[in-house]
Amino acid sequence: MKILGFIGLGVMGLPMAANLRKAGFELVVYNRTWDKTDFLVKMGAEAVHSPAEVARAADTVITMLSNDQAIRDVYLGPEGILAGVRPGVTAIDCSTASPGISRMLAQELATRFSDFLDAPVTGSKPAAEAGTLTIMVGGNEDVFLANQDVFQAMGQKIVYMGPSGYGSQTKLAHNAMVAIHSAAMAEGLAMAVKSGLNPEKFLDIVKNGSAASKQVELKQDKILDRDFSVQFALNLMLKDLNLAADFATSLAIPLPLMQNARSIFQMAANKGLGEADMSAIIQCYEEWIGHKIRRFTVSGENSAATVQDPDRRKHIRVPMGLDIKISVHQWQQEGSFSGQFIDGKLHDISETGLLISSASPLAQDMFVIVHLQKEADLPPVIAKIIRVESQHDGTFRYGCMLSGVPPYVMHRLEQYINRHAEK
């Protein structure tokens, strides 16, 4: 039986390599983090210290890497695959990569009388562990057929898509749809929960209706159980969406749904959720609706929105009653704005929103500019009024969502919060 090499033992790569070993293949492995090879060594694999050593030892080398730069490093680096590859060796890249880099590697390996297949996978961690991945393959069809035993040890559905790059092209179009479906599920679920519906019952309807998708099947329990352990990392999906956007540009086609999904994933990454599972984008919607989404377990309640959440996120809060200035701008004729400053109070602040008050009536969905006290040493921040409450003393309270705050300002705002936090 042929000797296989495997490089990249992450969330997906490790179980894929383990299934190859279970299928009886001799296995030579490399991973930048050495201790990730321990599990496979215990299964009888040999661990080596560079991609070049893998290429020298193996008949077929499989790579499963995080991004284009990692692929370049592993294939083209001083101790990369191309430095050790022998004539007749086949390299199979299962990463999600740009079609351009897949075609470039096919050309580079051809000059060394070796073969290359771009063979990205889908199915996330559960399918990688079960050996039921779907694999889409680009490259020479004869080489594809010669490696059926390798593919069948890792996947259940293996499809030859066409020449070099076609596997990568398929994966980008596929993952654009995955991201859209994921955002659509989060959006519908947020609407349902905000209106008081039981989220579990709602998703049961979705699974059995026209809105059903694999994302609902895969992510329902993770969201309802608030389990954001990684099956497929949010940062990796964002990387794939960025690649898809570049590819769409090269094709000169607009992809408005994909771009909107990309924006949501970017917002989630900016919130620090990049290393969580991609289902963590639901946390963006939870902020917007003001509720965490979990299983509906409180008896006698008819509204999911009224369930007290014992795990409610504890935003650090600034003491009440700080004086602020609120800048309000109104649209005038001939394309101009008129603006005015009004006095206000800052009652509550977190990294995502403000609670302010003023004697002046303002409207929901209005954007205002909030000027904090001079000692805050912060530029004004833009906020959108999402809630208006009349008070008995004739004033109004406004729940505001922060809008477009740059990361460096958010960092300084967090420092300001920490300096004034209630003990």
Side-chain angles (χ1 to χ4, degrees):
M1 185 172 281
K2 67 182 74 170
I3 299 172
L4 302 184
F6 205 105
I7 299 171
L9 304 175
V11 171
M12 297 290 287
L14 182 59
M16 291 166 66
N19 283 330
L20 291 168
R21 182 67 192 129
K22 289 174 186 175
F25 289 104
E26 291 188 53
L27 198 60
V28 180
V29 297
Y30 167 79
N31 194 75
R32 186 173 56 181
T33 305
W34 180 260
D35 59 8
K36 288 189 176 181
T37 64
D38 291 347
F39 178 77
L40 295 169
V41 169
K42 290 176 182 177
M43 292 181 69
E46 177 188 358
V48 296
H49 294 278
S50 72
E53 289 183 67
V54 175
R56 292 186 190 106
D59 302 305
T60 299
V61 178
I62 301 137
T63 54
M64 188 62 174
L65 304 165
S66 58
N67 54 47
D68 279 13
Q69 186 56 55
I71 293 169
R72 287 189 182 93
D73 292 344
V74 163
Y75 278 84
L76 306 177
E79 285 297 309
I81 290 171
L82 291 177
V85 73
R86 298 170 286 105
V89 169
T90 298
I92 301 174
D93 183 33
C94 292
S95 321
T96 301
S98 63
I101 198 170
S102 296
R103 283 188 279 270
M104 180 271 288
L105 291 175
Q107 293 169 0
E108 289 292 327
L109 282 157
T111 65
R112 290 160 173 79
F113 304 100
S114 300
D115 297 299
F116 178 83
L117 297 173
D118 48 290
V121 305
T122 186
S124 296
K125 183 180 178 181
E129 292 173 339
T132 57
L133 292 165
T134 295
I135 308 175
M136 53 217 84
V137 186
N140 182 283
E141 188 169 10
D142 290 337
V143 177
F144 162 73
L145 294 172
N147 285 277
Q148 284 294 292
D149 52 347
V150 176
F151 290 125
Q152 288 169 359
M154 299 185 293
Q156 187 174 57
K157 181 76 172 179
I158 301 103
V159 182
Y160 176 70
M161 298 303 300
S164 290
Y166 273 41
S168 295
Q169 291 169 204
T170 305
K171 182 63 185 294
L172 294 184
H174 173 274
N175 273 20
M177 292 182 66
V178 171
I180 292 165
H181 292 171
S182 183
M185 173 178 63
E187 202 151 294
L189 188 55
M191 185 188 305
V193 170
K194 182 66 173 179
S195 69
L197 296 178
N198 179 322
E200 193 167 6
K201 287 183 178 180
F202 171 74
L203 288 176
D204 190 48
I205 293 294
V206 171
K207 285 194 301 183
N208 290 280
S210 299
S213 74
K214 191 73 171 179
Q215 282 305 293
V216 178
E217 179 185 326
L218 288 172
K219 305 302 183 183
Q220 171 180 346
D221 288 339
K222 291 185 72 63
I223 291 172
L224 296 179
D225 294 334
R226 305 202 61 73
D227 171 19
F228 299 114
S229 58
V230 176
Q231 290 178 338
F232 186 73
L234 190 147
N235 266 345
L236 290 180
M237 176 53 79
L238 179 58
K239 179 266 295 183
D240 292 354
L241 290 171
N242 289 332
L243 289 176
D246 291 342
F247 186 48
T249 299
S250 74
L251 297 174
I253 57 171
L255 296 177
L257 293 180
M258 186 274 289
Q259 293 291 9
N260 284 336
R262 181 188 180 197
S263 296
I264 296 167
F265 276 86
Q266 184 65 68
M267 282 187 271
N270 291 346
K271 281 171 52 62
L273 300 172
E275 299 303 317
D277 186 72
M278 60 177 285
S279 58
I281 67 162
I282 194 67
Q283 294 184 44
C284 290
Y285 287 89
E286 289 175 335
E287 285 193 0
W288 300 333
I289 67 173
H291 301 284
K292 283 189 176 178
I293 295 170
R294 60 175 70 248
R295 292 192 188 278
F296 192 82
T297 58
V298 178
S299 60
E301 294 284 0
N302 294 320
S303 170
T306 64
V307 178
Q308 291 299 312
D309 185 352
D311 240 356
R312 187 182 173 206
R313 184 175 180 180
K314 296 177 176 62
H315 293 304
I316 299 174
R317 301 190 182 280
V318 171
M320 297 174 66
L322 297 178
D323 291 327
I324 57 172
K325 291 287 186 181
I326 304 169
S327 180
V328 182
H329 294 265
Q330 294 179 318
W331 180 257
Q332 301 293 304
Q333 293 180 352
E334 299 180 358
S336 64
F337 287 91
S338 69
Q340 59 177 319
F341 280 103
I342 60 175
D343 293 322
K345 293 281 188 181
L346 172 65
H347 294 279
D348 200 358
I349 182 172
S350 73
E351 61 267 36
T352 57
L354 307 169
L355 180 63
I356 62 177
S357 70
S358 174
S360 301
L362 303 173
Q364 187 166 323
D365 294 328
M366 177 182 286
F367 283 88
V368 296
I369 302 174
V370 177
H371 303 260
L372 301 172
Q373 296 182 47
K374 185 176 180 180
E375 60 92 15
D377 190 29
L378 281 166
V381 295
I382 300 173
K384 181 182 179 181
I385 297 174
I386 59 174
R387 187 176 70 256
V388 180
E389 298 173 354
S390 299
Q391 304 299 300
H392 294 301
D393 61 2
T395 63
F396 301 88
R397 286 205 174 189
Y398 304 104
C400 302
M401 182 172 64
L402 291 173
S403 176
V405 181
Y408 78 94
V409 174
M410 185 60 73
H411 177 66
R412 288 168 57 189
L413 178 59
E414 289 170 355
Q415 291 178 322
Y416 178 62
I417 292 169
N418 289 333
R419 289 199 303 270
H420 292 80
E422 294 175 324
K423 304 300 182 184

